[in-house]
Amino acid sequence: MPKEWNVCSLTILLLVTILVTTISSYFKISNIENYLTTPTATDTSNVIDLYQSETVKELRKKALISAENDRRVLFNASLKTNGQDFYRKMKMEAYCGQKERIGEKGDGGKYVCNPKKVKKDCTLMSLGLNNQIGYDKHIFEVTGGQCRILGADVDPQNQKTQDSYAKINGELFAGKIPTDLPISRMLEKSGRKEVELLKIDIEKGEFTALEPLIRDYFVCQIFIEIHGTPSEHLKMLQTMGKYGFRIFNVDENPYCTFCCEYSMINELCMAQFEVVPLGITIPQAND
């Protein structure tokens, strides 16, 4: 093959690669723009009043002053094996004045920020069911019954769960996440492009399943149970922090000493859910 042909082929391949990357980036940015411009029930005056509140200003000021020390303390705790000590040294990165417990009081329930502020026809996801859908029914109710809920578990759910899911405008998926069932496939099959509220409890599957989702799709709030050592918890929190998620609630699991529930919100959704940003307390990977 002439040398000129090789150069030409490489040039064409490079141009095609650049074109595909550009198109992919365009659609990702477009999804974010569409989300941010979709009308919500948020009262702008309420948000402004909240941000101008002297109490909130003082709370944010104190958080910013202590943030550097909070990161150092948490990092040192992550080097040890005591999970409870790590969880209790966690400081909030965002203030939500309207936290609501959704689901069971013990294991399985999650703290959601201002759930009534979801957008119309939003997408809810509940990953990890085991035929226990108290959270799913509750979140469907408090969001006004206007959202589509996608649920998944490693095994098919029993008939009672299937019938209950049909009544809450739900769609069920079965498969091990993410090896057999990538989260993106659920969205593609249901025709959804972003997620408003994501509950994820998939027994360590979160370490490989979550990042591809939040990298390629827009997600507002995440309620995640992380399993493992303090250092593993920190690594997962750093991954979410890299994509703009900030902690607004930490809830120790009373039945599992190496598990903890974290509620996080995307920085781009804070105004919608009337949340105030505080200091960043999760140390970055290179800190």
Side-chain angles (χ1 to χ4, degrees), residues 162-216:
Q162 293 179 39
D163 294 342
S164 295
Y165 238 70
K167 292 178 181 178
I168 60 173
N169 193 28
E171 185 175 356
L172 288 169
F173 296 81
K176 185 176 177 60
I177 300 172
T179 52
D180 303 322
L181 181 63
I183 304 174
S184 58
R185 187 185 303 167
M186 297 171 59
L187 290 170
E188 291 165 3
K189 286 188 175 182
S190 59
R192 297 282 161 158
K193 296 181 179 180
E194 67 268 326
V195 181
E196 194 96 347
L197 308 177
L198 167 65
K199 186 212 84 173
I200 177 168
D201 183 359
I202 54 176
E203 309 302 323
K204 278 203 166 186
E206 65 270 14
F207 289 101
T208 52
L210 185 58
E211 185 170 12
L213 173 70
I214 60 179
R215 180 189 63 218
D216 298 331

Side-chain angles (χ1 to χ4, degrees), residues 77-94:
S78 75
L79 302 176
K80 302 175 183 178
T81 58
N82 189 327
Q84 286 73 24
D85 180 61
F86 176 80
Y87 314 145
R88 292 165 190 172
K89 283 185 167 57
M90 190 79 57
K91 302 297 182 182
M92 299 306 101
E93 300 179 299

Side-chain angles (χ1 to χ4, degrees), residues 21 40 54 74 76 102 127 136 142 151 161 178 186 232 236 242-243 254 272 287:
T21 303
T40 70
E54 291 303 320
L74 189 64
N76 290 335
I102 303 295
L127 309 181
D136 309 63
V142 299
T161 299
M186 297 171 59
E232 290 176 313
M236 187 75 250
K242 182 172 67 174
Y243 294 96
Q272 175 186 339
D287 280 0

Side-chain angles (χ1 to χ4, degrees), residues 50-151:
L50 175 66
Y51 288 178
Q52 292 182 344
S53 161
E54 291 303 320
T55 302
V56 168
K57 285 181 180 179
E58 186 63 23
L59 181 66
R60 177 171 162 79
K61 179 181 177 181
K62 289 181 179 179
L64 291 173
I65 290 173
S66 66
E68 183 176 354
N69 184 63
D70 292 338
R71 289 194 293 271
R72 182 168 52 253
V73 168
L74 189 64
F75 178 75
N76 290 335
S78 75
L79 302 176
K80 302 175 183 178
T81 58
N82 189 327
Q84 286 73 24
D85 180 61
F86 176 80
Y87 314 145
R88 292 165 190 172
K89 283 185 167 57
M90 190 79 57
K91 302 297 182 182
M92 299 306 101
E93 300 179 299
Y95 170 73
C96 173
Q98 300 292 328
K99 287 189 292 189
E100 188 168 344
R101 178 78 176 185
I102 303 295
E104 294 82 357
K105 292 183 178 179
D107 189 23
K110 311 293 179 185
Y111 279 96
V112 180
C113 182
N114 222 349
K116 295 180 177 61
K117 295 295 184 179
V118 296
K119 293 177 179 291
K120 293 182 179 179
D121 190 34
C122 76
T123 304
L124 313 174
M125 295 192 84
S126 180
L127 309 181
L129 300 177
N130 194 29
N131 289 300
Q132 298 175 21
I133 58 171
Y135 165 88
D136 309 63
K137 292 179 178 179
H138 195 178
I139 196 64
F140 180 74
E141 292 172 2
V142 299
T143 53
Q146 61 177 320
C147 300
R148 181 71 166 167
I149 182 164
L150 311 180

